[in-house]
Structures are given as C-alpha cells and as structure tokens.
C-alpha cells in the first residue's frame, strides 16, 4: 500500500494520546516561556507556575497574547534563549510602528520545515515532485517556509519568488513543474499571461497541485483556480507568529484544513467574551505553539474567524480540521449598520462567469452617508463596452450582493487588468472613511 503519512505515528495518534502529548509539550513550553522577559512577568502577575498545568483545559488559566504584545516587546522581549542561538527572524508587514517579529533557533527551523513537508506530503506531493515557489521571499514566511519544507520533502525546488509571470511560465515549462505555491490572487493574473502567450496551463504544463493560502479566498475562487490550471488546489493556512506556512493544510481529500495539533494547541473563542464557543461554532482562532523553543507564543489571538470541524477526516489523520477562514475580525467593516466581510463580496462575484478574478471595494463617506463601491474586472472573453448590457449585469450583481450583505452597494464593471495590482497579498478594501 502506498505510504500515506509523512509521520504515521504522530499523524494517526489517537485523540486521547494526542491530548496527553499536548499536556507534556505544554509544560515544557511554559517552562521555556518563563525564561523570557515578557512571559516571566505575565506568569508572575497571575501567580502561575508551569508545573500547575495538568490538563489541556488549564490553558484557560493563562492570559491571551496579542499582536500588540508582540509589537510592544519587539524585538527580543519574548526570547527564551541566548541571541547566539537564534538562526533566523521573520516579521509581519507592519506599515506603522514595530512589526511583530519571530525568532527561530535551529530546532525551530527544522520543526517548521518538517511541518511544511508533512503538509505537502498530505496532499499527495512526493520527493519526485518539482516544486515552484511563486511566493515572495525575504521577511515574508511563504518564501523560505515553503522552500525548506519542499527541500525536506526531497522535491527539486524552483525558488522563483513572486511576480514576473513570463519567467514563471518559462520555468514551469522548462523544468516540468508539478506543484507550485502562490497567493490565490496572483493565479488569475498568471493564467491571463498564459493565454496572452497562446498557452493553456491545462495542456502546456505538468502541474498537478497548487498550494494556495496566505490570504482569505472563497471556495468559488478555489474552483476557478482548479478550472484555470486543470489541477487540484489545496488550502494552506499559516501566519508569521506561528512560524509561517504549515500550521494547517488540506489533505488529499481537500476537505478543509487539518491543524497540526501535536505542534499547535487550538482554541476557538468568542471574540467579545473570549470564552470558548461550543464545538463547531464560528469564533476567533487562538493558537499556542507547542514545539517552538526560541520564542513560544501562548494563546495567540489570531483574529481569524473559523470553526472546528469535529468529524474525523476520511484520511485517518487525527488532527482536527478548521473550516475555510471566514475573514479576520479586523477585516470586517461596518457600513449602513451592516457587518461585511470582503469574502462575502468575493463569493458572489466569483459565481458570475463574466467577472474576472480581481475586485476592489472602496468605502467613502459623503454628506448623505457612507457609500460602498464594488469595482470588478470583466473577464476578457466577456469584455464589452455596450453600456446597456453592462448596466444590466451591474444591476444583477448589485441585487445579489444585497441578498448577501443586506444593502445595495454601487457596482462598476471595469476593463480587464485595470484595477491596481500588488505583488504579495491582494488589497481588497480601500476604506477612505478612516482619518
Ligand atoms: P502573515 O503573517 O503575513 O503570513 O499573515 C497571516 C494571516 O494571513 C493569517 O492570520 C490570515 O488572516 C491570513 N491567511 C493565511 N493563510 C490563509 C488561508 N489559507 N485562508 C485565509 N486567510 C489566510
Ligand atoms: Zn484529512
């Protein structure tokens, strides 16, 4: 039988044993965390000792850690070891003030690479694959994170980095790339460049798997990507504060993402009360690192909204799955009294074949109240400047959006390629109402 697991014992560990392992690891993590300036004070303030940790539920005795805590203690406040032992840092893309920086020792990098290798293996990727990483390298974790993970798996790796679509296509074709990683918002543009050059990725590449993540995207977007490239697209969840990619990943069944619970303790809490939500309900994901030495992070409030899927997965892995990320609590905007997540808009737009992959939501404040404009690029095959035809389609989209978000936004269909592009994660909302 084909070897299905990268680490069979760990990946199929019965839940009871997995919880026992989590408690053991948690005690070690807490003892280490106590060595840092930040957590030694946190623990002293509540009179907590690592040996007090007896069951997984004891996690609730500990306070949460937030991005603001990481920023305020930048750069070394959470470090548990000598600076001499650090071999790398990464940080989030803070545009103002200090970013949240993460420090890794040798063990942490090995453990991270192993989790990315485990994730890729779970999708069916193997050492014989040729892996092209179309993610930005540098401080962004999607570059080096996938690089070392794919090398650990044994793939031939192509560190193509982000952008330069013509070169991506040439590399893909010359080296016979079979799997690739990218932010989902880039893949529509890459596909357009294939077509402009008279190529069809379904016929003219050997792609079998795409790993897509680092930004929210809908199931409709995944389906589009699969159709455009004629291969499977697997959802990949990660965040810098938790290493980067390799926190959660879909297995070969593409049935939402397994969180690697031997290395991450998972909680879902109500973002208002911070109490756990009943299993299966949507709330904010809170994660504790269980295998990080240089800089453990305890009860980190990710701001990502999701739910736990309690049913075991067909694949036999015992790590629980989380549902596709619904959005970040800080991505949500309120307009005309309605709470809107950009992904709700995306889901409606991506169901409409005439609409291409890029869209932008602009919020303005006017004397008559706040306005929301949804601009969406038209698909080149459906491009028209026939105004009545465009207007009918705009009205249809506005009606469908109203059913979803409970008021009617302005909708404007724009020519293909006309909206601003970014090299990394897509910017979907421009809120001009803020200061
Ligand atoms: P970064 O630290 O820059 O990698 O950003 C991490 C954030 O990206 C997460 O907290 C999520 O909000 C988002 N993210 C990462 N992966 C996914 C995914 N597969 N689906 C939705 N959002 C994601
Ligand atoms: Zn599975």
């Amino acid at each position: 039988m084909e070897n299905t697991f990268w680490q069979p014992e760990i990946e199929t560990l019965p839940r009871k044993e997995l919880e026992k392992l989590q408690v053991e690891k948690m005690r070690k993590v807490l003892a280490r965390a106590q060595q840092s300036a930040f957590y030694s004070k946190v623990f002293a303030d509540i009179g907590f000792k690592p040996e007090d940790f007896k069951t997984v539920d004891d996690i609730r005795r500990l306070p949460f850690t937030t991005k603001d805590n990481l920023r305020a203690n930048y750069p070394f406040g959470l470090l548990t070891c000598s600076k001499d032992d650090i071999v790398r840092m990464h940080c989030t893309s803070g545009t103002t003030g200090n970013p949240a920086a993460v420090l890794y020792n040798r063990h942490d990098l090995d453990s991270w690479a192993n989790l990315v290798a485990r994730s890729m293996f779970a999708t069916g990727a193997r050492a014989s694959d040729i892996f092209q990483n179309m993610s930005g390298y540098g401080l962004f974790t999607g570059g080096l994170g996938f690089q070392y993970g794919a090398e650990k798996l044994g793939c031939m790796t192509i560190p193509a980095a982000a952008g330069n679509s013509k070169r991506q296509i040439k590399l893909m074709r010359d080296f016979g790339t079979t799997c690739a990683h990218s932010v989902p918002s880039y893949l529509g543009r890459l596909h357009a460049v294939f077509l402009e050059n008279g190529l069809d990725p379904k016929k003219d590449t050997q792609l079998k798997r795409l790993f897509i993540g680092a930004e929210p995207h809908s199931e409709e977007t995944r389906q589009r990507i699969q159709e455009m490239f004629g291969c499977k697209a697997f959802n990949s969840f990660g965040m810098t504060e938790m290493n980067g990619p390799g926190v959660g990943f879909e297995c070969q069944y593409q049935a939402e993402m397994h969180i690697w619970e031997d290395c991450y303790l998972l909680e879902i809490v109500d973002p208002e009360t911070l109490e756990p939500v009943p299993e299966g309900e949507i709330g904010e994901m809170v994660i504790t690192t269980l295998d990080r030495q240089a800089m453990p992070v305890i009860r980190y409030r990710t701001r990502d909204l999701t739910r736990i899927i309690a049913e075991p997965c067909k694949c036999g892995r015992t790590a629980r799955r989380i549902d596709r990320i619904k959005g970040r609590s800080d991505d949500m905007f309120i307009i005309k009294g309605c709470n809107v997540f950009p992904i709700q808009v995306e889901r409606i737009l991506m169901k409409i074949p005439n609409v291409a992959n890029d869209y932008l939501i602009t919020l303005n404040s006017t004397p008559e109240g706040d306005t929301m404009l949804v601009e969406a690029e038209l698909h080149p095959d459906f491009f028209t400047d026939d105004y009545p035809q465009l207007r009918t389609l705009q009205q249809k989209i506005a009606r469908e959006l109203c059913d979803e978000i409970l008021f009617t936004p302005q909708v404007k269909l724009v020519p293909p390629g006309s909206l601003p592009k970014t090299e990394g994660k897509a910017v979907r909302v421009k809120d001009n109402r803020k200061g």
Side-chain angles (χ1 to χ4, degrees):
M1 199 182 85
E2 201 207 357
N3 184 8
T4 343
F5 304 106
W6 177 248
Q7 291 167 288
E9 297 90 68
I10 293 277
E11 289 174 59
T12 60
L13 202 61
R15 294 273 335 153
K16 276 241 144 57
E17 287 175 46
L18 183 56
E19 280 188 15
K20 225 172 94 197
L21 178 71
Q22 288 182 319
V23 174
E24 275 164 30
K25 284 188 153 188
M26 194 65 204
R27 280 204 210 114
K28 286 193 194 141
V29 162
L30 293 169
R32 271 200 90 100
Q34 205 168 26
Q35 310 297 311
S36 72
F38 175 68
Y39 284 116
S40 67
K41 181 163 181 330
V42 168
F43 295 173
D45 285 350
I46 57 165
F48 181 85
K49 294 190 189 69
E51 55 274 24
D52 295 346
F53 196 91
K54 300 263 165 16
T55 74
V56 173
D57 289 337
D58 285 333
I59 191 84
R60 291 175 59 191
R61 299 171 56 191
L62 292 159
F64 295 94
T65 305
T66 62
K67 192 169 214 153
D68 284 343
N69 294 140
L70 299 192
R71 285 186 172 141
N73 291 279
Y74 173 92
F76 296 117
L78 275 79
L79 186 62
T80 65
C81 57
S82 154
K83 285 182 203 159
D84 294 349
D85 294 331
I86 306 173
V87 286
R88 188 164 344 134
M89 64 75 71
H90 280 283
C91 65
T92 57
S93 52
T95 41
T96 52
N98 288 336
V102 174
L103 307 161
Y104 309 73
N105 70 8
R106 172 61 51 208
H107 161 90
D108 299 333
L109 288 187
D110 288 345
S111 162
W112 178 21
N114 180 61
L115 288 179
V116 175
R118 188 199 285 179
S119 302
M120 292 175 66
F121 194 91
T123 69
R126 294 294 179 266
S128 52
D129 273 292
I130 296 168
F131 172 71
Q132 185 161 332
N133 194 5
M134 303 189 280
S135 166
Y137 278 65
L139 293 171
F140 177 55
T141 54
L144 293 179
F146 265 97
Q147 180 65 36
Y148 286 106
E151 285 180 11
K152 184 129 197 149
L153 178 58
C155 298
M156 171 184 154
T157 59
I158 306 177
N164 201 338
S165 302
K166 276 195 169 164
R167 191 179 62 184
Q168 299 284 6
I169 294 171
K170 179 165 171 52
L171 290 168
M172 246 178 218
R173 286 166 45 79
D174 291 351
F175 291 91
T177 300
T178 56
C179 57
H181 168 239
S182 166
V183 289
S185 55
Y186 174 62
L187 292 170
R189 263 172 280 148
L190 181 66
H191 185 252
V193 179
F194 266 100
L195 299 187
E196 278 161 31
N197 287 277
L199 296 168
D200 175 356
K202 291 203 270 294
K203 298 199 208 97
D204 300 312
T205 72
Q206 296 177 47
L207 277 175
K208 292 194 188 65
R209 289 179 185 79
L210 287 165
F211 310 126
I212 55 173
E215 59 185 13
H217 57 286
S218 57
E219 179 58 34
E220 286 75 11
T221 293
R222 182 232 292 267
Q223 296 296 340
R224 279 188 171 208
I225 289 171
Q226 297 196 142
E227 278 159 28
M228 285 189 287
F229 288 88
C231 70
K232 288 190 171 181
F234 296 87
N235 197 353
S236 147
F237 176 83
M239 68 192 314
T240 311
E241 298 89 322
M242 294 292 127
N243 282 345
V247 178
F249 226 89
E250 285 188 323
C251 68
Q252 72 267 36
Y253 292 108
Q254 293 179 293
E256 308 304 338
M257 299 171 285
H258 288 278
I259 294 284
W260 300 126
E261 289 183 277
D262 56 311
C263 293
Y264 297 102
L265 192 76
L266 172 66
E267 298 172 79
I268 308 281
V269 303
D270 180 318
E272 302 291 323
T273 64
L274 301 181
E275 290 298 321
V277 299
E279 194 169 65
E281 284 186 18
I282 291 178
E284 178 178 337
M285 179 158 57
V286 170
I287 311 181
T288 299
T289 61
L290 291 178
D291 204 41
R292 220 165 50 192
Q293 295 182 347
M295 194 181 137
V297 180
I298 294 159
R299 299 197 90 191
Y300 188 66
R301 288 192 60 184
T302 65
R303 306 281 167 183
D304 291 312
L305 302 171
T306 183
R307 65 181 193 98
I308 289 178
I309 300 173
E311 304 82 61
C313 183
K314 283 196 282 193
C315 69
R317 288 176 181 81
T318 50
R320 286 175 301 175
R321 288 167 293 155
I322 55 159
D323 214 342
R324 180 176 291 283
I325 306 289
K326 186 172 144 44
R328 291 177 57 82
S329 52
D330 42 12
D331 269 357
M332 189 193 79
F333 55 87
I334 301 177
I335 181 157
K336 298 186 194 291
C338 302
N339 297 352
V340 181
F341 287 99
I343 199 131
Q344 291 177 283
V345 174
E346 182 186 303
R347 270 186 22 226
I348 301 291
L349 294 174
M350 294 305 127
K351 278 187 196 149
I352 301 171
N354 311 51
V355 170
N357 302 300
D358 277 322
Y359 66 94
L360 178 67
I361 302 167
T362 308
L363 308 172
N364 280 314
S365 85
T366 72
E368 289 75 43
D370 290 355
T371 59
M372 170 172 164
L373 168 68
V374 177
E375 289 172 286
E377 286 185 6
L378 272 169
H379 198 283
D381 292 349
F382 299 107
F383 182 66
T384 170
D385 44 17
D386 171 359
Y387 184 65
Q389 206 183 320
L390 269 187
R391 196 180 46 194
T392 310
L393 185 56
Q394 285 173 176
Q395 285 167 345
K396 171 177 144 60
I397 296 173
R399 274 196 308 275
E400 292 192 13
L401 283 170
C402 178
D403 289 344
E404 173 71 30
I405 63 175
L406 307 179
F407 74 96
T408 312
Q410 292 164 260
V411 174
K412 188 171 166 203
L413 292 167
V414 298
S418 60
L419 290 174
K421 310 286 179 240
T422 47
E423 200 158 76
K425 303 185 188 213
V427 177
R428 301 301 195 192
V429 183
K430 222 166 86 190
D431 193 345
N432 298 327
R433 300 173 304 174
K434 295 172 185 160

